[in-house]
Short mmCIF file of all heavy atoms in Angstrom, two decimals:
data_model
loop_
_atom_site.label_atom_id
_atom_site.label_comp_id
_atom_site.label_asym_id
_atom_site.label_seq_id
_atom_site.Cartn_x
_atom_site.Cartn_y
_atom_site.Cartn_z
N SER A 369 -6.26 20.73 63.16
CA SER A 369 -4.89 21.05 62.82
C SER A 369 -4.84 21.74 61.52
O SER A 369 -3.77 22.16 61.09
CB SER A 369 -4.11 19.62 62.69
OG SER A 369 -4.59 18.96 61.67
N PHE A 370 -5.83 21.77 60.79
CA PHE A 370 -5.77 22.57 59.49
C PHE A 370 -5.85 24.01 59.70
O PHE A 370 -6.66 24.61 60.56
CB PHE A 370 -7.05 22.19 58.57
CG PHE A 370 -7.09 20.77 58.13
CD1 PHE A 370 -6.24 19.85 58.40
CD2 PHE A 370 -8.05 20.51 57.04
CE1 PHE A 370 -6.29 18.57 57.88
CE2 PHE A 370 -8.07 19.24 56.57
CZ PHE A 370 -7.19 18.31 56.95
N ARG A 371 -5.01 24.74 58.89
CA ARG A 371 -5.22 26.11 58.99
C ARG A 371 -6.29 26.65 58.09
O ARG A 371 -6.84 25.73 57.40
CB ARG A 371 -3.88 26.78 58.43
CG ARG A 371 -2.61 26.33 58.91
CD ARG A 371 -1.71 27.43 59.08
NE ARG A 371 -0.54 26.92 60.01
CZ ARG A 371 0.07 27.69 60.80
NH1 ARG A 371 -0.22 28.97 60.73
NH2 ARG A 371 0.91 27.29 61.60
N LEU A 372 -6.76 27.80 58.34
CA LEU A 372 -7.90 28.32 57.62
C LEU A 372 -7.91 28.12 56.14
O LEU A 372 -8.79 27.66 55.54
CB LEU A 372 -8.22 29.68 58.07
CG LEU A 372 -9.58 30.37 57.58
CD1 LEU A 372 -10.74 29.56 58.22
CD2 LEU A 372 -9.79 31.82 57.87
N LYS A 373 -6.83 28.40 55.63
CA LYS A 373 -6.61 28.27 54.13
C LYS A 373 -6.76 26.87 53.69
O LYS A 373 -7.50 26.61 52.76
CB LYS A 373 -5.21 28.78 53.75
CG LYS A 373 -4.93 28.85 52.22
CD LYS A 373 -3.70 29.61 51.86
CE LYS A 373 -3.40 29.56 50.44
NZ LYS A 373 -2.58 28.41 50.05
N LYS A 374 -6.23 25.92 54.35
CA LYS A 374 -6.34 24.45 54.09
C LYS A 374 -7.86 24.11 54.24
O LYS A 374 -8.32 23.31 53.46
CB LYS A 374 -5.45 23.63 54.97
CG LYS A 374 -5.43 22.21 54.60
CD LYS A 374 -4.22 21.48 55.26
CE LYS A 374 -4.25 19.98 54.94
NZ LYS A 374 -3.25 19.25 55.64
N SER A 375 -8.57 24.50 55.26
CA SER A 375 -9.84 24.22 55.48
C SER A 375 -10.73 24.73 54.15
O SER A 375 -11.62 23.96 53.65
CB SER A 375 -10.44 24.88 56.66
OG SER A 375 -9.86 24.26 57.80
N PHE A 376 -10.48 25.94 53.77
CA PHE A 376 -11.32 26.44 52.58
C PHE A 376 -10.88 25.57 51.30
O PHE A 376 -11.79 25.18 50.60
CB PHE A 376 -10.81 27.78 52.36
CG PHE A 376 -11.70 28.84 52.96
CD1 PHE A 376 -11.38 29.30 54.21
CD2 PHE A 376 -12.87 29.23 52.42
CE1 PHE A 376 -12.16 30.13 54.90
CE2 PHE A 376 -13.73 30.20 52.96
CZ PHE A 376 -13.29 30.61 54.26
N GLU A 377 -9.61 25.15 51.20
CA GLU A 377 -9.35 24.23 50.10
C GLU A 377 -10.03 22.89 50.15
O GLU A 377 -10.65 22.47 49.23
CB GLU A 377 -7.85 24.04 50.01
CG GLU A 377 -7.04 25.15 49.45
CD GLU A 377 -5.52 25.06 49.79
OE1 GLU A 377 -5.14 24.01 50.24
OE2 GLU A 377 -4.77 26.06 49.53
N ALA A 378 -9.97 22.35 51.40
CA ALA A 378 -10.63 21.05 51.58
C ALA A 378 -12.30 21.33 51.25
O ALA A 378 -12.86 20.41 50.67
CB ALA A 378 -10.43 20.56 53.02
N ALA A 379 -12.84 22.28 51.78
CA ALA A 379 -14.25 22.53 51.55
C ALA A 379 -14.52 22.65 50.15
O ALA A 379 -15.58 22.04 49.74
CB ALA A 379 -14.68 23.75 52.27
N THR A 380 -13.71 23.32 49.41
CA THR A 380 -13.99 23.60 47.92
C THR A 380 -13.90 22.25 47.26
O THR A 380 -14.68 21.88 46.26
CB THR A 380 -12.98 24.48 47.36
OG1 THR A 380 -13.05 25.72 48.26
CG2 THR A 380 -13.26 24.94 45.83
N LYS A 381 -12.77 21.48 47.56
CA LYS A 381 -12.55 20.02 46.97
C LYS A 381 -13.82 19.23 47.17
O LYS A 381 -14.19 18.37 46.27
CB LYS A 381 -11.30 19.58 47.63
CG LYS A 381 -10.88 18.29 46.82
CD LYS A 381 -9.33 18.07 47.00
CE LYS A 381 -9.02 16.86 46.16
NZ LYS A 381 -8.11 15.89 46.91
N ALA A 382 -14.32 19.28 48.37
CA ALA A 382 -15.54 18.43 48.69
C ALA A 382 -16.71 18.91 48.03
O ALA A 382 -17.69 18.11 48.10
CB ALA A 382 -15.64 18.32 50.30
N GLY A 383 -16.73 20.08 47.41
CA GLY A 383 -17.82 20.61 46.72
C GLY A 383 -18.97 21.13 47.69
O GLY A 383 -20.16 21.08 47.34
N ALA A 384 -18.57 21.41 48.88
CA ALA A 384 -19.46 21.87 49.86
C ALA A 384 -20.20 23.21 49.47
O ALA A 384 -19.47 24.11 48.93
CB ALA A 384 -18.85 22.09 51.26
N LYS A 385 -21.44 23.46 49.90
CA LYS A 385 -22.05 24.75 49.66
C LYS A 385 -21.60 25.80 50.59
O LYS A 385 -21.24 26.92 50.20
CB LYS A 385 -23.50 24.48 49.79
CG LYS A 385 -24.39 25.82 49.68
CD LYS A 385 -24.99 25.82 48.36
CE LYS A 385 -25.66 27.17 48.12
NZ LYS A 385 -26.54 27.30 46.95
N PHE A 386 -21.52 25.48 51.79
CA PHE A 386 -20.97 26.48 52.88
C PHE A 386 -19.83 25.99 53.63
O PHE A 386 -19.62 24.78 53.74
CB PHE A 386 -22.15 26.58 54.01
CG PHE A 386 -23.38 27.19 53.57
CD1 PHE A 386 -24.62 26.37 53.26
CD2 PHE A 386 -23.45 28.63 53.25
CE1 PHE A 386 -25.63 26.90 52.89
CE2 PHE A 386 -24.78 29.23 52.87
CZ PHE A 386 -25.86 28.32 52.69
N ILE A 387 -19.13 26.89 54.18
CA ILE A 387 -18.12 26.49 55.25
C ILE A 387 -18.44 27.19 56.53
O ILE A 387 -18.96 28.31 56.48
CB ILE A 387 -16.71 26.91 54.81
CG1 ILE A 387 -15.60 26.32 55.79
CG2 ILE A 387 -16.53 28.39 54.64
CD1 ILE A 387 -14.19 26.28 55.37
#
Side-chain angles (χ1 to χ4, degrees):
S369 71
F370 288 10
R371 306 219 166 210
L372 192 59
K373 183 162 177 276
K374 187 165 172 187
S375 291
F376 268 92
E377 283 165 8
T380 307
K381 190 159 180 224
K385 174 105 193 186
F386 295 104
I387 187 165

